[in-house]
Amino acid sequence: MNQEPSSFVLKRRHLLGIEGLSPAEITGLLDLAEEFVTLNRQVEKKRTSLRGRTQINLFFEASTRTQSSFELAGKRLGADVMNMSVAQSSIKKGETLIDTALTLNAMHPDILIMRHAASGAVELLAKKVDCSVVNAGDGTHEHPTQALLDALTIRRNKGRIERLTVAICGDILHSRVARSNIILLNAMQARVRAIGPSTLLPAAVERLGVEVYRDMKEGLKDVDIVMMLRLQRERMNGSFVPSVQEYFHYFGLDEAKLRYAKPDALVMHPGPMNRGVEISTAVADGAQSLIREQVEMGVAVRMAVLEALARNLPNA
Amino acid sequence: MTALRPLLLVNALMVDPAAGTEIRGGLLVRDGLIADTGPHLTASTAPEGAEIVDCGGRIVAPGLVDMRCFVGEPGYEYRETIASATAAAAAGGVTTLVCQPATDPAIDDPAIVDFLLRRARDTGIVHFHPMAAITKKLGGREMTEFGLLQEAGAVAFTDGARSVTDALVMRRAMTYARDFDALIVHHTEDPALVGEGVMNEGEFASRLGLAGIPVEAETIMLERDLRLVKLTGARYHAASITCRDSLAIIARAKNEGLPVTAAVTINHLTLNENDIGSYRTFCKLTPPLRTEDDRLALADAVADGTIDIIVSDHDPQDVETKRLPFAEAMPGAVGVETMLPAALRLVHAGLVPLAALLRALSTAPASLLRLPGGTLAKGEPADLVVIDLDTPWVLDRDDLRSKCKNSPFDEARMSGRVLRSIVGGRTVHALAD
């Protein structure tokens, strides 16, 4: 691609969610991310646009892939990156969270990447600090960079997002990935379906901008993209679904169920996967799977978010 | 197996609660199905080789469907087997039997459903279907595999005589059940309010010095359940209603259009707490017998359709668990064999019309469980019962086919009995004259 380098600036201080982003902002971030995809495939992956900047990764919830993806993204842009993994047990509710925020703020970071188990915690912290804050996942609310990397993966493989039919399948109730994706895909004019047992669908889910299906055979019909979600182990033994066997039988994506979708349908999963629970190994590793590409796009998208936010930071 | 001879029932009064008709005439069975019915069918028009049964003007009705019957397989074969339970059922005019999951192990796994259906095929003489548990091991915590169990052949889900006390567990079970269009059958009795109670709370319990169970143990649980039905949209059946207060709750839910049905046991329709007399443990039941006022209200509710279904709540108990002080005895009574004669008391007392009674005993449960039967329509399976309405007799519990003899109707006078039971065109019971 020999296009002009993108000069896109995200004219916001924080990226707290997909909610509120305009289609132009989403497209701007995806276009910028394309440049980083190219960069990341070169031997020389380093840029200097964040040189002098301090990025703190503040993860109140354990994460391997998201944290390392943000770390790599910051380092490739030249920032000084510090990881703070705060054990959940040492945190004592709101006051401590705000105290932590004030302590960090005193160290003058430029960008704070934060994940927290409580919905709204990232926004709460963002109000207390002077730097930019990026939401790396808050409770069951939003995970904006995941939705952006999913959108980039879809766009690169299908050439567009609008008018595609995307099925999001499984534990939508507990999924911030699903919520961010539903918002983004709707903003970009895709048709979104939610498929899962009623016990794993949020109340009034049809009001969130999705068509609801409780059966994979019906729900996957004519679908372009099948997005599987992780089912947490503690939810699969009788509390939300009776058993792994029954869940996989009705809602696990195997080759037979994938055949209900379009022949060229593509399969995605935010990871980490439970093979044999929500997805079969044959599908996860099959020709229609984009799961490994999603990981690659994750670094590029996070570089784009950091770069686009940094361009908006004061330089004095 | 040789082909079945055609069977012609002649000189019968055919009462079909599904169609709402009462027709005099004959009924022809071919290949296990009802081939024809009507006044034109007489002995002189019989097809060649047909077996002809003269009903002597007595009633032919759809065979009974008993959706609440404890059978001890697996684990309690000394109390009842599929062979003994279905023999008792056949003698009682019951042509379809639905067993309960409180076995050992509990019916909470598709493999056990499969086992039972094979055992029934090999040892049973009436149609047999299992209900499966709502929660694993009937523990009230984790829901069972509704989808796979239903595919294996479970016709509904119940924790038997246990209530799912945790409202969140019940909510999720109902939510999940709705996806599979599964029927939840629930025993509505709050164990905390039952406490140490062993009979209906009131004057009689106080005089006997026995701890009572208030009707609120039932009504509070029932109210909770029906609100969860409204929340989740699940198909729900109250397994055993015992009191007047519950009827108003059921009626209100039905008026709201909720997918709700209710059953009453034959015991609660024909007995009351006074039948406990001097500590008769055969009248110790769960839920307990209530007052005469409650009984009359329940009978009215069967007549007007507020209560949909009558069940035997057949619960065979060994003498060793019944021959004990009242408070220590196990609850439960056998009933599958005596359900119809006992129910006829309501007809003779003018409390319930015959057609309404037969509907609650056959058409309604078949329809709720989506099973064949409960009708005399052409082309349907010939599951039939021939009923004598009037002949007086006295029950001797030693005559019962059940392995256990814990009948509250021992030595009771009855009017009317089952003359013949036919399952899929085969006579499985015929009373010797």
Side-chain angles (χ1 to χ4, degrees):
Chain A
M1 271 186 275
N2 287 321
Q3 289 169 339
E4 286 288 297
S6 165
S7 57
F8 176 72
V9 181
L10 195 57
K11 292 207 168 55
R12 308 168 169 266
R13 193 142 69 87
H14 309 302
L15 178 66
L16 300 178
I18 298 295
E19 182 77 62
L21 285 188
S22 68
E25 286 175 308
I26 293 166
T27 306
L29 284 170
L30 298 185
D31 291 346
L32 181 55
E34 288 283 3
E35 290 178 21
F36 293 117
V37 174
T38 310
L39 180 73
N40 286 339
R41 288 177 179 179
Q42 294 168 5
V43 176
E44 174 57 64
K45 302 177 181 66
K46 205 85 168 151
R47 280 208 184 170
T48 56
S49 42
L50 263 66
R51 191 161 65 192
R53 303 283 190 197
T54 301
Q55 172 188 336
I56 299 178
N57 293 341
L58 181 60
F59 278 64
F60 291 90
E61 212 181 49
S63 159
T64 310
R65 62 178 65 206
T66 306
Q67 185 169 334
S68 50
S69 182
F70 269 111
E71 182 178 354
L72 214 47
K75 284 178 171 167
R76 284 183 181 167
L77 292 173
D80 294 313
V81 183
M82 185 181 82
N83 286 320
M84 278 188 64
S85 295
V86 191
Q88 194 72 321
S89 56
S90 71
I91 301 302
K92 298 207 176 66
K93 300 197 177 107
E95 277 175 316
T96 310
L97 174 64
I98 288 169
D99 280 347
T100 308
L102 295 175
T103 306
L104 287 173
N105 197 46
M107 299 177 191
H108 297 292
D110 298 282
I111 300 180
L112 206 56
I113 314 295
M114 178 175 163
R115 169 171 288 190
H116 198 280
S119 301
V122 179
E123 193 176 330
L124 179 66
L125 181 126
K127 288 176 182 159
K128 301 289 174 189
V129 296
D130 301 315
C131 62
S132 285
V133 176
V134 175
N135 183 359
D138 65 322
T140 55
H141 176 227
E142 279 232 47
H143 191 357
T145 57
Q146 178 72 41
L148 288 165
L149 78 87
D150 287 341
L152 183 62
T153 310
I154 294 170
R155 200 178 73 167
R156 286 173 62 90
N157 285 277
K158 291 288 184 187
R160 62 187 164 94
I161 297 171
E162 69 275 7
R163 298 187 317 283
L164 292 178
T165 303
V166 182
I168 303 177
C169 313
D171 186 1
I172 292 162
L173 179 63
H174 300 101
S175 176
R176 53 193 171 216
V177 174
R179 281 171 182 73
S180 288
N181 265 310
I182 289 168
I183 300 165
L184 185 147
L185 292 165
N186 272 293
M188 301 307 283
Q189 310 293 321
R191 292 180 59 182
V192 189
R193 296 180 182 178
I195 312 176
S198 295
T199 42
L200 294 177
L201 294 173
V205 61
E206 65 284 351
R207 302 281 295 273
L208 304 182
V210 295
E211 296 167 49
V212 184
Y213 293 86
R214 292 172 178 87
D215 179 282
M216 291 285 270
K217 185 175 177 178
E218 291 171 39
L220 290 182
K221 192 173 183 303
D222 299 327
V223 156
D224 299 286
I225 302 284
V226 186
M227 220 177 247
M228 300 308 297
L229 297 173
R230 176 180 170 78
L231 181 66
Q232 301 280 3
R233 203 155 282 280
E234 65 270 20
R235 293 177 184 135
M236 58 178 95
N237 286 317
S239 53
F240 289 86
V241 294
S243 65
V244 171
Q245 298 92 292
E246 175 142 327
Y247 188 73
F248 186 75
H249 182 80
Y250 292 106
F251 296 101
L253 188 67
D254 53 15
E255 286 167 308
K257 294 195 195 77
L258 184 54
R259 276 194 285 275
Y260 299 131
K262 280 188 183 169
D264 62 348
L266 296 171
V267 176
M268 303 173 71
H269 192 299
M273 285 182 282
N274 286 311
R275 290 167 188 262
V277 177
E278 69 263 357
I279 192 165
S280 75
T281 287
V283 170
D285 302 336
Q288 289 166 272
S289 170
L290 296 176
I291 295 169
R292 264 182 288 261
E293 189 175 334
Q294 285 173 272
V295 179
E296 184 190 354
M297 294 307 118
V299 180
V301 151
R302 286 168 184 129
M303 289 171 79
V305 167
L306 295 174
E307 172 92 27
L309 282 173
R311 286 173 182 173
N312 193 45
L313 285 173
N315 267 317
Chain B
M1 199 183 287
T2 53
L4 273 176
R5 281 171 73 192
L7 171 68
L8 181 64
L9 305 176
V10 297
N11 193 17
L13 175 60
M14 293 170 290
V15 180
D16 184 356
T21 55
E22 294 188 14
I23 300 168
R24 288 198 181 276
L27 185 150
L28 177 65
V29 177
R30 272 188 204 276
D31 304 324
L33 304 177
I34 298 170
D36 197 7
T37 58
H40 61 285
L41 294 173
T42 59
S44 57
T45 63
E48 202 175 306
E51 179 190 356
I52 299 171
V53 174
D54 188 334
C55 297
R58 298 194 181 92
I59 287 165
V60 170
L64 275 45
V65 177
D66 183 5
M67 65 178 280
R68 193 169 175 86
C69 179
F70 179 84
V71 179
E73 293 191 50
Y76 299 103
E77 287 83 356
Y78 67 96
R79 285 165 61 193
E80 204 79 285
T81 60
I82 292 174
S84 63
T86 58
V94 173
T95 53
T96 298
L97 201 60
V98 177
C99 72
Q100 298 293 299
T103 46
D104 185 16
I107 307 173
D108 62 359
D109 186 293
I112 301 173
V113 173
D114 190 61
F115 161 78
L116 284 169
L117 291 175
R118 287 164 193 272
R119 285 285 291 168
R121 180 197 62 196
D122 296 342
T123 66
I125 61 169
V126 306
H127 301 300
F128 182 89
H129 302 276
M131 276 193 200
I134 298 172
T135 61
K136 292 172 189 168
K137 298 183 183 358
L138 307 176
R141 308 300 313 170
E142 299 165 349
M143 69 172 110
T144 58
E145 297 168 324
F146 293 174
L148 297 174
L149 283 161
Q150 203 162 248
E151 283 188 29
V155 292
F157 297 87
T158 182
D159 274 0
R162 291 197 200 178
S163 296
V164 178
T165 53
D166 186 319
L168 179 60
V169 171
M170 193 57 159
R171 181 207 174 158
R172 292 213 184 113
M174 284 193 187
T175 301
Y176 194 76
R178 190 202 48 190
D179 285 359
F180 290 92
D181 202 17
L183 177 70
I184 297 286
V185 177
H186 198 221
H187 178 89
T188 47
E189 214 178 25
D190 183 339
L193 280 171
V194 170
E196 300 294 308
V198 293
M199 68 171 288
N200 183 44
E201 184 171 289
E203 179 190 338
F204 193 49
S206 297
R207 287 183 187 280
L208 288 175
L210 292 173
I213 301 170
V215 294
E216 284 71 17
E218 175 172 311
T219 54
I220 289 173
M221 186 64 83
L222 183 63
E223 285 272 17
R224 182 205 75 172
D225 283 358
L226 297 183
R227 284 176 192 271
L228 292 176
V229 170
K230 191 170 178 178
L231 176 67
T232 61
R235 293 170 65 217
Y236 175 88
H237 175 75
S240 171
I241 291 303
T242 66
C243 60
R244 183 184 284 278
D245 286 1
S246 291
L247 297 171
I249 299 168
I250 295 282
R252 197 180 64 220
K254 288 186 167 187
N255 283 336
E256 281 187 61
L258 299 179
V260 169
T261 51
V264 60
T265 80
I266 188 61
N267 303 313
H268 294 89
L269 275 177
T270 52
L271 304 169
N272 66 35
E273 60 175 357
N274 296 309
D275 288 293
I276 291 169
S278 56
Y279 307 97
R280 289 185 67 211
T281 58
F282 286 4
C283 289
K284 182 179 179 182
L285 303 172
T286 182
L289 292 170
R290 301 290 184 186
T291 65
E292 179 65 1
D293 173 66
D294 289 313
R295 184 186 79 85
L296 292 172
L298 292 167
D300 283 348
V302 171
D304 71 23
T306 305
I307 287 181
D308 305 84
I309 289 164
I310 300 170
V311 295
S312 73
D313 199 20
H314 183 78
D315 190 358
Q317 292 291 344
D318 198 55
V319 283
E320 299 311 320
T321 59
K322 278 291 188 186
R323 202 181 289 152
L324 290 168
F326 193 87
E328 295 166 27
M330 288 293 287
V334 292
V336 69
E337 193 168 341
T338 50
M339 175 163 65
L340 182 62
L344 289 175
R345 288 179 168 185
L346 301 169
V347 176
H348 296 310
L351 292 171
V352 182
L354 181 63
L357 187 79
L358 293 174
R359 168 182 292 277
L361 286 165
S362 63
T363 312
S367 157
L368 180 64
L369 299 174
R370 298 171 179 165
L371 293 172
T375 168
L376 297 183
K378 287 179 202 174
E380 294 297 319
D383 297 339
L384 306 166
V385 58
V386 183
I387 305 166
D388 160 30
L389 271 189
D390 302 308
T391 306
W393 58 291
V394 175
L395 179 78
D396 178 348
R397 62 184 166 126
D398 290 330
D399 292 341
L400 294 172
R401 272 83 170 166
S402 175
K403 285 194 164 189
C404 296
K405 312 299 180 188
N406 54 310
S407 170
F409 297 103
D410 187 30
E411 297 178 10
R413 289 170 213 281
M414 302 282 191
S415 289
R417 61 202 309 177
V418 174
L419 296 179
R420 181 181 289 262
S421 300
I422 297 165
V423 175
R426 284 174 200 278
T427 297
V428 292
H429 167 78
L431 194 68
D433 283 324

